[in-house]
């Protein structure tokens, strides 16, 4: 499970994110990151295989795929598959991922760089597949599991991006509740009947 | 708008998909594709810049992003943003994309190759961004547009993958209606209250 490690890991991540924001990801070197964090190159490479890993290694990852998959495995058996994903996401304590401002900066760096964004998309896709597999293990059929994983994955991604921008006192559970209320209205039968007439 | 072109384009695509399925995407050469399609290399390169483009060029693309963005632009102004995406998707005639069996084969080749899957994910992401921008142009705020684009994009992807596997007489409108019914139940207030209690 991704866990936030304070101390030198955080110092290096903060230094890297500052430099990426100031001068771009491409132009930033490991030497510069180590210097700003006050560590040696050797220390840097004990934690990260390269500067990309400052953004993507398990210790700083943004997306708690393993925890959510475990949440699906433990979810109340009376829930529908999408409910299992949302229940797991709302029950997870997202603040254990570390300071929200770091995740916000990390997200901005990734969004500004197509190559990093590709890697992030691959991570989201891996989570989607992991959710679908977890739901199949709960006995749902492939259509139900895939639909829930597609929509649930998107929903959690959307919630996560709102959580990044929200104040530190806004919890993921509150955000998911808001999103569910919005989608419930959009999918309600009385409007559904109307928008499916062309 | 992506449009299916019958004739030599289809012959080349069918030849390429057969070869990709038989011997893998990596091992297949343009010479083999041209030979099986009964065209010259020159003809191949008049249609496609390389073998990857047989899977991704606008003339054979799977995902009618432009048509759906236009549908959002024209959607009834009383609709919510997610409803605009779904209305546009259900109103679009997906069979104008060409024979469904070709899309099914194309999808199988892409799913079997991580590098091709990455490109497909980038396409889905581009559609998501295009949906969000189209919704912003309809006057929705960023939170509403992004949520609808995230969830709507996933929903259309899920619907598209069901459409691929469905019989030729099953329309996208029917598939979307089924999906909406499933999600409506999953998000209904009476179960929502339950699954948001942890």
């Amino acid at each position: 499970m991704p866990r936030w490690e304070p101390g030198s890991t955080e110092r290096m991540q903060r230094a890297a994110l500052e430099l990426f924001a100031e001068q771009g990801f491409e132009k930033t070197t490991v030497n510069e990151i180590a210097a700003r964090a006050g560590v040696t190159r050797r220390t840097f490479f004990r934690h990260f295989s390269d500067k990309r890993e400052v953004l993507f290694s398990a210790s700083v990852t943004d997306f708690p795929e393993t925890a959510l998959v475990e949440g699906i495995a433990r979810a109340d058996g009376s829930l529908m598959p999408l409910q299992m994903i949302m229940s797991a996401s709302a029950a997870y304590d997202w603040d254990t991922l570390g300071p929200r401002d770091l995740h916000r900066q990390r997200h901005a760096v990734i969004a500004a760089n197509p190559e990093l964004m590709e890697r992030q998309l691959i991570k989201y896709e891996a989570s989607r597949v992991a959710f679908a597999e977890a739901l199949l293990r709960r006995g749902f059929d492939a259509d139900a599991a895939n639909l829930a994983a597609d929509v649930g994955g998107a929903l959690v991604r959307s919630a996560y991006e709102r959580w990044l921008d929200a104040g530190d006192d806004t919890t993921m559970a509150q955000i998911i509740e808001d999103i569910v209320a919005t989608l419930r209205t959009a999918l309600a039968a009385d409007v559904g009947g109307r928008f499916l007439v062309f």
Side-chain angles (χ1 to χ4, degrees), chain A:
Chain A
M1 191 183 314
R3 274 267 154 203
W4 178 249
E5 291 171 23
S8 56
T9 308
E10 176 168 343
R11 261 205 335 277
M12 283 183 273
Q13 199 191 14
R14 285 199 182 274
L17 287 170
E18 279 171 24
L19 288 160
F20 296 160
E22 285 166 23
Q23 59 191 36
F25 174 79
E26 291 301 342
K27 285 193 185 142
T28 300
T29 66
V30 166
N31 282 347
E32 291 172 307
I33 297 169
R36 186 166 298 193
V39 301
T40 61
R41 268 175 70 86
R42 227 182 110 150
T43 299
F44 180 91
F45 285 118
R46 260 208 312 276
H47 287 78
F48 303 108
S49 58
D50 57 35
K51 66 179 177 177
R52 246 179 149 217
E53 288 310 302
V54 180
L55 298 166
F56 291 104
S57 83
S59 66
V60 293
T61 193
D62 62 320
F63 209 74
E65 178 187 308
T66 311
L68 298 186
V69 163
E70 286 169 3
I72 293 169
R74 283 194 315 266
D76 184 320
S78 70
L79 297 183
M80 294 178 69
L82 180 61
Q83 295 169 345
M84 287 191 176
I85 295 175
M86 286 160 55
S87 171
S89 305
Y92 178 70
D93 180 1
W94 291 70
D95 288 308
T96 62
L97 292 179
R100 209 179 295 200
D101 68 311
L102 276 195
H103 286 278
R104 197 177 295 135
Q105 287 170 49
R106 172 186 176 279
H107 194 258
V109 168
I110 289 171
N113 182 311
E115 186 213 334
L116 299 174
M117 193 66 208
E118 274 179 43
R119 174 124 178 219
Q120 182 68 25
L121 292 177
I122 294 167
K123 275 169 63 93
Y124 283 139
E125 173 71 4
S127 296
R128 197 189 65 79
V129 171
F131 292 166
E133 288 168 352
L135 291 167
L136 288 173
R137 286 193 295 272
R138 292 301 307 260
F140 296 108
D141 67 32
D143 262 7
N146 284 325
L147 174 62
D150 285 355
V151 174
L155 211 150
V156 177
R157 173 182 173 177
S158 223
Y160 168 72
E161 291 178 4
R162 280 197 195 180
W163 177 84
L164 287 179
D165 289 333
D168 282 352
D169 50 344
T170 306
T171 66
M172 187 59 101
Q174 290 165 331
I175 292 168
I176 289 180
E177 201 161 8
D178 279 354
I179 286 179
V180 168
T182 302
L183 296 178
R184 186 183 293 151
T185 311
L187 297 171
D190 54 338
V191 290
R194 190 180 58 198
F195 78 84
L196 285 172
V197 175
F198 337 104

